Coordinates of all heavy atoms in Angstrom, one line a residue:
K25 N -14.1 13.2 -15.4 CA -14.7 12.0 -15.7 C -14.3 11.5 -17.1 O -14.5 12.3 -18.1 CB -16.2 12.1 -15.6 CG -16.9 10.7 -15.8 CD -18.3 10.6 -15.4 CE -18.9 9.3 -15.7 NZ -19.3 8.5 -14.6
K29 N -8.3 9.3 -13.7 CA -8.9 8.8 -12.4 C -8.6 9.8 -11.3 O -7.6 10.5 -11.3 CB -8.2 7.5 -12.1 CG -8.5 6.4 -13.1 CD -9.7 5.6 -12.6 CE -9.9 4.4 -13.5 NZ -11.1 3.6 -13.2
V33 N -8.6 10.9 -0.4 CA -8.3 10.2 0.8 C -9.1 10.9 2.0 O -9.4 12.1 1.9 CB -6.8 10.4 1.2 CG1 -6.4 9.9 2.5 CG2 -5.9 9.7 0.1
M40 N -1.3 15.8 8.1 CA -1.6 14.8 7.1 C -2.1 15.5 5.8 O -1.8 15.1 4.7 CB -2.7 13.8 7.6 CG -3.0 12.6 6.7 SD -2.0 11.2 7.2 CE -3.0 10.6 8.6
N67 N -18.7 3.6 16.3 CA -19.2 3.8 14.9 C -19.2 5.3 14.7 O -18.7 6.1 15.5 CB -20.6 3.2 14.8 CG -21.6 3.7 15.8 OD1 -21.6 4.9 16.1 ND2 -22.5 2.9 16.3
G113 N -23.8 25.3 5.6 CA -23.2 26.6 5.4 C -22.1 26.9 6.4 O -21.1 27.6 6.1
G122 N -14.7 23.3 0.7 CA -15.1 23.6 -0.7 C -16.4 22.9 -1.0 O -17.0 23.2 -2.0
K125 N -20.4 16.6 2.1 CA -20.9 15.3 1.7 C -22.0 14.9 2.6 O -21.9 15.2 3.8 CB -19.8 14.2 1.8 CG -20.3 12.8 1.5 CD -19.1 11.8 1.5 CE -18.8 11.1 2.8 NZ -19.9 10.4 3.5
R132 N -32.5 11.9 -0.5 CA -31.8 13.1 -0.2 C -31.8 14.1 -1.4 O -31.3 15.2 -1.3 CB -30.3 12.8 0.1 CG -30.1 11.9 1.3 CD -30.3 12.7 2.6 NE -30.2 11.7 3.7 CZ -31.2 11.5 4.6 NH1 -32.2 12.2 4.6 NH2 -31.1 10.5 5.4
L139 N -29.4 22.6 -1.4 CA -28.0 23.1 -1.0 C -27.3 23.7 -2.2 O -26.7 24.7 -2.2 CB -27.2 21.9 -0.4 CG -27.7 21.4 0.9 CD1 -26.8 20.2 1.4 CD2 -27.7 22.4 2.0
V169 N -28.3 -8.1 -4.7 CA -29.5 -8.7 -5.4 C -30.0 -7.6 -6.4 O -29.8 -6.4 -6.2 CB -30.6 -9.1 -4.5 CG1 -30.2 -10.3 -3.7 CG2 -31.1 -8.0 -3.6
A173 N -29.7 -3.5 -6.5 CA -28.8 -2.8 -7.5 C -29.5 -1.8 -8.3 O -29.1 -0.7 -8.5 CB -28.1 -3.9 -8.4
A174 N -30.8 -2.2 -8.6 CA -31.6 -1.2 -9.4 C -31.9 0.0 -8.6 O -31.9 1.2 -9.0 CB -32.9 -1.9 -9.8
V193 N -19.4 5.8 -3.9 CA -20.1 4.6 -4.0 C -19.4 3.6 -3.1 O -18.2 3.2 -3.4 CB -20.2 4.0 -5.4 CG1 -21.0 2.8 -5.5 CG2 -20.8 5.1 -6.4
A199 N -19.5 -5.1 -10.4 CA -20.4 -4.9 -11.5 C -21.4 -3.7 -11.3 O -21.7 -3.0 -12.2 CB -21.1 -6.2 -11.8
R209 N -23.3 11.0 -15.4 CA -22.2 11.8 -16.1 C -21.3 12.4 -15.1 O -20.3 13.0 -15.4 CB -22.9 12.8 -17.0 CG -23.3 12.2 -18.3 CD -24.3 13.1 -19.0 NE -25.5 13.3 -18.2 CZ -26.5 14.1 -18.4 NH1 -26.4 14.9 -19.4 NH2 -27.5 14.2 -17.6
T212 N -17.9 8.9 -10.3 CA -18.1 8.0 -9.1 C -16.8 7.8 -8.4 O -15.7 7.5 -9.1 CB -18.6 6.6 -9.6 OG1 -17.7 6.1 -10.5 CG2 -20.0 6.7 -10.2
Y235 N -5.1 2.3 12.5 CA -6.4 2.2 13.2 C -6.6 0.8 13.8 O -6.8 0.7 15.0 CB -7.5 2.5 12.2 CG -8.9 2.3 12.8 CD1 -9.2 3.0 14.0 CD2 -9.8 1.5 12.3 CE1 -10.5 2.8 14.6 CE2 -11.1 1.3 12.8 CZ -11.4 2.0 14.0 OH -12.6 1.8 14.6
S236 N -6.4 -0.2 13.0 CA -6.7 -1.6 13.5 C -5.6 -2.5 12.9 O -5.0 -2.2 11.9 CB -8.1 -2.0 13.0 OG -8.2 -3.3 12.7
P240 N -9.5 -3.7 6.1 CA -10.7 -4.2 5.4 C -10.4 -4.6 4.0 O -9.4 -4.1 3.4 CB -11.6 -2.9 5.4 CG -10.9 -1.9 6.2 CD -9.5 -2.3 6.5
F242 N -11.6 -4.0 1.2 CA -11.6 -3.0 0.2 C -10.4 -2.0 0.2 O -10.2 -1.2 -0.7 CB -12.9 -2.1 0.2 CG -13.1 -1.4 1.6 CD1 -12.4 -0.3 1.9 CD2 -14.1 -1.9 2.5 CE1 -12.5 0.3 3.1 CE2 -14.2 -1.2 3.7 CZ -13.5 -0.1 4.0
E273 N 23.6 16.4 22.5 CA 23.0 17.3 21.4 C 21.7 17.8 21.7 O 21.2 18.7 21.0 CB 23.1 16.5 20.0 CG 22.0 15.5 19.8 CD 22.2 14.1 20.6 OE1 23.1 14.1 21.4 OE2 21.5 13.2 20.3

Side-chain angles (χ1 to χ4, degrees):
K25 184 163 177 114
K29 293 270 188 183
V33 174
M40 189 95 80
N67 57 41
K125 173 174 91 58
R132 301 281 172 237
L139 295 179
V169 296
V193 184
R209 278 163 300 172
T212 54
Y235 174 57
S236 144
F242 58 75
E273 74 284 13

